[in-house]
Amino acid sequence: MVQARIDFLGSGHFRPLADALSTAAAEFAVERPVVLDVGAGTGYYLAAVRERVNARAAVALDISKFALRRAARLLPDALCLVWDVWRPLPLGEASVDLALNVFAPRNAPEFARVCRDGATLLVVTPLPRHLQEIAEGARLLDIRPGKDNDVAASMADGFETIESRTVEFQMALSPADVGNVAAMGPAGHHSAPSEAGFSTPASSVTAAFTLQVFRRRIREVSKT
Ligand SMILES: C[S@@+](CC[C@H](N)C(=O)[O-])C[C@H]1O[C@@H](n2cnc3c(N)ncnc32)[C@H](O)[C@@H]1O
């Protein structure tokens, strides 16, 4: 499924999302940040953000070695580590200025540990209407409403919510694009694209996401 992601992202259909993420990063992050992408996949979004903010260092974590091999090729100067997000992250406390999480699992306590006070965390989740025109034909899983609220609640101990933005655009997809986007998520899929029974191009398909901006709360100084 990594190839489907590479092919779909390579087609440029999600470029507006990479642009929105980069714009938010430039707006909220400190200058020359250390950037961490958890669940970085093939590194597509980290590459876009890193360039936009002129990052001092970039770290990509993902459990898939196949995806990360691709990320390492795209980001030769970045640290790309095969890592399970549910383990303690391989970074020091308060070492990250800007963290990204795009359609990937979130370990809130670990995000809070590695982010320095005031650091920016950008989280992207799909909205229920994401890919709605092809959801049935491509047998995509339903996207639960209120995902953004769940994310904010799960982050609340370590992060305050600064802003929530809707990123929405239309895409003209070929049958191959539909197969790739179905195979790669974030909506997920029940069957291989070739079994999903779509063969016609979808002229206008909705891409719809929530981009949440969080700020790491100031740590309390322990009085001992
Ligand atoms: C839908 S993909 C998104 C990838 C990338 N952020 C993007 O949008 O192109 C979800 C990613 O999370 C990764 N992932 C899933 N479970 C993980 C875990 N426990 N630890 C680290 N990465 C994980 C997958 O390997 C996959 O690359």
Side-chain angles (χ1 to χ4, degrees):
M1 293 307 127
V2 171
Q3 193 56 48
R5 179 163 291 275
I6 291 167
D7 291 345
F8 189 80
L9 293 176
S11 70
H13 292 299
F14 275 5
R15 188 70 221 177
L17 177 58
D19 290 343
L21 205 54
S22 303
T23 299
E27 215 172 306
F28 291 100
V30 293
E31 274 186 29
R32 305 226 54 214
V34 172
V35 187
L36 165 69
D37 189 349
V38 183
T42 56
Y44 178 74
Y45 298 103
L46 179 56
V49 167
R50 186 184 77 150
E51 190 177 322
R52 179 71 177 269
V53 299
N54 191 20
R56 185 150 43 97
V59 181
L61 303 181
D62 200 285
I63 204 163
S64 162
K65 68 178 175 192
F66 302 107
L68 266 194
R69 258 185 218 145
R70 182 67 183 204
R73 251 185 280 158
L74 188 62
L75 297 152
D77 303 332
L79 182 60
C80 297
L81 291 174
V82 175
W83 202 267
D84 182 354
V85 65
W86 300 117
R87 294 175 57 197
L89 300 184
L91 291 143
E93 174 155 356
S95 57
V96 169
D97 300 304
L98 171 63
L100 312 177
N101 181 260
V102 184
F103 323 128
R106 290 166 290 277
N107 182 340
E110 275 299 288
F111 286 11
R113 184 184 64 80
V114 301
C115 282
R116 67 161 180 79
D117 292 0
T120 303
L121 165 65
L122 303 177
V123 178
V124 177
T125 48
L127 284 162
R129 60 183 177 279
H130 181 58
L131 304 179
Q132 61 188 355
E133 297 85 352
I134 60 168
E136 202 179 320
R139 299 184 200 164
L140 302 180
L141 300 175
D142 285 344
I143 300 171
R144 220 171 6 87
K147 243 183 166 177
D148 49 345
N149 292 333
D150 295 348
V151 173
S154 71
M155 292 295 161
D157 277 354
F159 296 88
E160 60 177 312
T161 303
I162 300 299
E163 227 183 279
S164 187
R165 298 177 177 180
T166 297
V167 182
E168 184 159 0
F169 48 92
Q170 295 299 122
M171 306 177 290
L173 303 184
S174 68
D177 291 330
V178 174
N180 286 331
V181 80
M184 76 185 219
H189 60 95
H190 286 308
S191 53
S194 55
E195 296 163 9
F198 35 74
S199 56
T200 51
S203 56
S204 189
V205 176
T206 304
F209 314 95
T210 303
L211 165 52
Q212 288 169 281
V213 181
F214 298 96
R215 182 177 297 137
R216 176 65 171 95
R217 296 185 192 281
I218 307 296
R219 287 166 171 78
E220 282 180 22
V221 182
S222 62
K223 295 172 194 147
T224 49

